[in-house]
């Protein structure tokens, strides 16, 4: 097999791995939009907040330590203990569930029946509020997140690919973290699909997504479903925050990953869980291949804009996305 073909195959594989990480963020958008019609601008900040909270819990940091020290003149920063990764993840998930309940109780329960633009503006305010709270609770310095996920190139993949490529090819470089993220994302998506299809709460969630009034008429609690949906979105944000945080460090620019999820949603559709996955894979592979083939001819850096151009093309010719539902309004 020629080295050029193998190099191209390596680019495709790495694109698929990147696409999985994009899809993880897009899943949170889909869950909330499908059940409540709210486009949650704060999803990226939720991933950041979850990652910050996980690091803080694992390192035994005192929440709001900077505020406490400035107010009372103390000098406390940690409790003096550390927390194992699995327990830290479990405690962070509890925090995200409490956050979901608070968001519904104190914000969106009072906005029922408002125009979509009002709900969208509320999520923008929520994003900046949550970012500020994360800064006050855990500080703004860049943090290292280590939950035991292996990193670095996979020697097994390198050896196998080098054997196939012969003397002119030294093997694929595929990060173990990306492989782990792909496996976790596959398990998460399978779990969400099973939950939505085969559990009582999942069927209720789908009923609410289809018709709020009909769901109310058969005794489904909208309050419970919306808290459940925000909790699931918080869980997805936690997974995305762990993967992105372990990959590039936990820093406030992590919240910008939400911007990369927008083209994914436009391709896959705002109401489709499989669409989020397929859209993420298309964006991931497309931007890597475009950078590999066209990038050298235009000076590179095409990954910064390729996804948005592709999304714009989809908006023109298929605005509902690959798996989205065409909305027909009768007047």
């Amino acid at each position: 097999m020629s080295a050029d073909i193998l190099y191209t195959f390596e680019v495709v594989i790495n694109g698929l791995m990147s696409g999985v990480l994009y899809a993880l963020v897009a899943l949170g958008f889909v869950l909330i939009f499908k059940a409540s019609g709210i486009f949650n601008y704060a999803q990226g900040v939720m991933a950041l907040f979850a990652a910050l909270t996980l690091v803080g819990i694992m390192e035994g940091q005192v929440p709001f330590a900077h505020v406490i020290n400035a107010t009372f003149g103390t000098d406390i920063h940690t409790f003096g203990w550390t927390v194992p990764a699995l327990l830290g993840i479990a405690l962070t998930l509890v925090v995200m569930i409490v956050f979901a309940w608070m968001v519904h109780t104190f914000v969106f329960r009072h906005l029922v029946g408002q125009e979509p633009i009002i709900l969208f503006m509320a999520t923008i305010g929520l994003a900046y509020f949550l970012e500020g709270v994360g800064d006050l609770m855990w500080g703004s310095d860049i943090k290292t997140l280590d939950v035991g996920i292996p990193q670095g190139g996979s020697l097994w993949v390198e050896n196998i690919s080098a054997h196939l490529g012969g003397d002119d090819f030294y093997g694929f470089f595929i990060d173990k973290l990306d492989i782990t993220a792909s496996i976790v994302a596959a398990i998460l998506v399978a779990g969400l699909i099973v939950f939505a299809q085969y559990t009582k709460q999942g069927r209720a969630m789908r009923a609410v997504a289809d018709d709020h009034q009909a769901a109310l008429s058969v005794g489904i609690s909208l309050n419970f479903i919306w808290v459940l949906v925000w909790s699931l979105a918080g869980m997805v944000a936690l997974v995305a925050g762990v993967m992105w945080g372990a990959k590039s460090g936990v820093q406030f620019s992590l919240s910008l990953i939400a911007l990369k999820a927008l083209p994914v949603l436009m391709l896959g559709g705002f109401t489709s869980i499989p669409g989020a996955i397929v859209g993420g894979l298309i964006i991931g592979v497309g931007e890597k291949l475009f950078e590999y083939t066209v990038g050298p001819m235009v000076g590179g850096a095409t990954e910064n804009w390729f996804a948005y151009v592709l999304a714009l093309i989809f908006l023109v010719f298929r605005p509902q996305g690959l798996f989205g539902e065409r909305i027909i309004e009768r007047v």
Side-chain angles (χ1 to χ4, degrees), residues 124-178:
I124 294 178
L126 178 64
Y128 285 105
F129 172 78
L130 190 59
E131 189 170 323
V133 170
D135 187 3
L136 289 175
M137 284 185 70
W138 308 114
S140 59
D141 52 312
I142 299 175
K143 299 171 175 60
T144 301
L145 178 57
D146 182 9
V147 294
I149 299 176
Q151 298 191 47
S154 172
L155 293 178
W156 181 82
V157 174
E158 289 183 25
N159 292 336
I160 293 296
S161 56
H163 176 73
L164 292 174
D167 296 334
D168 296 329
F169 188 74
Y170 297 100
F172 296 159
F173 180 85
I174 298 179
D175 199 321
K176 295 177 184 177
L177 174 63
D178 291 335

Side-chain angles (χ1 to χ4, degrees), residues 25-216:
V25 183
L27 274 175
F29 285 97
V30 169
L31 286 169
I32 293 178
F33 188 84
K34 186 175 177 63
S36 62
I38 298 174
F39 180 80
N40 181 24
Y41 182 84
Q43 187 65 33
V45 183
M46 287 170 62
L48 167 66
F49 182 77
L52 286 171
T53 302
L54 177 57
V55 173
I57 290 174
M58 289 177 61
E59 294 182 353
Q61 295 181 20
V62 176
F64 302 104
H66 298 291
V67 177
I68 295 172
N69 293 335
T71 304
F72 300 102
T74 56
D75 188 27
I76 58 172
H77 297 282
T78 66
F79 291 109
W81 66 69
T82 57
V83 175
L86 288 178
L87 178 58
I89 291 173
L91 292 174
T92 305
L93 181 58
V94 172
V95 171
M96 298 308 293
I97 293 173
V98 172
F99 166 76
W101 176 82
M102 292 178 65
V103 165
H104 172 70
T105 302
F106 297 112
V107 180
F108 290 107
R109 190 179 68 175
H110 304 285
L111 296 177
V112 173
Q114 296 293 331
E115 294 293 325
I117 186 62
I118 301 297
L119 301 176
F120 174 65
M121 294 299 294
T123 67
I124 294 178
L126 178 64
Y128 285 105
F129 172 78
L130 190 59
E131 189 170 323
V133 170
D135 187 3
L136 289 175
M137 284 185 70
W138 308 114
S140 59
D141 52 312
I142 299 175
K143 299 171 175 60
T144 301
L145 178 57
D146 182 9
V147 294
I149 299 176
Q151 298 191 47
S154 172
L155 293 178
W156 181 82
V157 174
E158 289 183 25
N159 292 336
I160 293 296
S161 56
H163 176 73
L164 292 174
D167 296 334
D168 296 329
F169 188 74
Y170 297 100
F172 296 159
F173 180 85
I174 298 179
D175 199 321
K176 295 177 184 177
L177 174 63
D178 291 335
I179 297 174
T180 303
S182 300
I183 295 172
V184 170
I187 295 173
L188 180 63
V189 171
L192 288 173
I193 291 174
V194 169
F195 174 80
Q197 295 289 338
Y198 300 107
T199 67
K200 179 180 178 181
Q201 292 79 11
R203 288 192 292 269
M205 188 173 71
R206 289 164 52 207
V208 170
D210 290 337
D211 191 322
H212 292 176
Q213 295 301 322
L216 276 174

Side-chain angles (χ1 to χ4, degrees), residues 157-309:
V157 174
E158 289 183 25
N159 292 336
I160 293 296
S161 56
H163 176 73
L164 292 174
D167 296 334
D168 296 329
F169 188 74
Y170 297 100
F172 296 159
F173 180 85
I174 298 179
D175 199 321
K176 295 177 184 177
L177 174 63
D178 291 335
I179 297 174
T180 303
S182 300
I183 295 172
V184 170
I187 295 173
L188 180 63
V189 171
L192 288 173
I193 291 174
V194 169
F195 174 80
Q197 295 289 338
Y198 300 107
T199 67
K200 179 180 178 181
Q201 292 79 11
R203 288 192 292 269
M205 188 173 71
R206 289 164 52 207
V208 170
D210 290 337
D211 191 322
H212 292 176
Q213 295 301 322
L216 276 174
S217 68
V218 296
I220 295 175
S221 171
L222 294 185
N223 291 331
F224 170 77
I225 293 301
W226 285 334
V227 171
L228 174 63
V229 168
W230 277 87
S231 298
L232 290 174
M235 179 186 70
V236 172
L238 172 58
V239 175
V242 168
M243 297 305 170
W244 280 97
K247 187 180 181 69
S248 57
V250 180
Q251 50 193 315
F252 277 76
S253 61
L254 180 65
S255 62
L256 299 179
I257 59 175
L259 298 179
K260 209 51 178 287
L262 294 180
V264 174
L265 294 169
M266 294 174 188
L267 262 68
F270 281 81
T271 59
S272 173
I273 291 177
I277 302 301
V278 174
L281 297 179
I282 292 175
I283 291 293
V285 173
E287 68 180 15
K288 295 293 185 185
L289 279 176
F290 196 81
E291 177 70 26
Y292 176 64
T293 56
V294 181
M297 294 183 284
V298 296
T302 61
E303 290 186 40
N304 296 332
W305 52 262
F306 170 82
Y308 300 98
V309 172

